[in-house]
Amino acid sequence: MAAEANAPVPAAPEAPKKKRSPNRLVVEEALNDDNSVVSLSQAKMEELNLFRGDNVLIKGKKRKDTVCIVLADDNLDDSKIRL
C-alpha cells in the first residue's frame, strides 16, 4: 500500500487556449475620409500575400462585412490597420 500512496497523481487537463486569428488587426483612425481604402504595413501585406490595390473583405465585431482596397503605409505597425 505504501507504493500506492507515492504514485504520481495525474495532472488535470489544461484548458484549451483560445485561438486568435493571425489576420486579426487593431484599427487605427484613418487620415483621409475615403471609406473604401485601408492601409497596412508592407511587412503585413507580404505576410498575407496582398498587393497594392487588392480587394479585401473585412469582418467586424458586429458581423458586418466590408470590401476595401489595400494600400501600403510605412508608418504603421504590423499589428494595426488604418481605415
Side-chain angles (χ1 to χ4, degrees):
M1 289 210 186
E4 291 177 12
N6 293 334
V9 178
E14 290 184 29
K17 293 182 180 179
K18 185 177 179 183
K19 293 183 181 179
R20 297 213 74 162
S21 173
N23 302 341
R24 183 172 293 210
L25 299 169
V26 177
V27 175
E28 191 169 292
E29 190 65 30
L31 299 177
N32 57 11
D33 291 334
D34 192 357
N35 293 333
S36 64
V37 174
V38 297
S39 299
L40 291 171
S41 68
Q42 188 65 39
K44 184 54 96 171
M45 285 178 64
E46 290 174 5
E47 179 183 333
L48 298 174
N49 295 325
L50 295 173
F51 296 100
R52 185 177 185 275
D54 281 353
N55 295 327
V56 292
L57 178 67
I58 298 176
K59 296 187 177 190
K61 284 186 176 181
K62 297 179 182 176
R63 298 183 184 248
K64 300 281 185 179
D65 292 347
T66 305
V67 176
C68 295
I69 299 170
V70 178
L71 296 177
D73 187 355
D74 295 332
N75 300 328
L76 205 56
D77 292 339
D78 289 344
S79 64
K80 294 188 178 181
I81 184 170
R82 183 173 287 150
L83 56 103

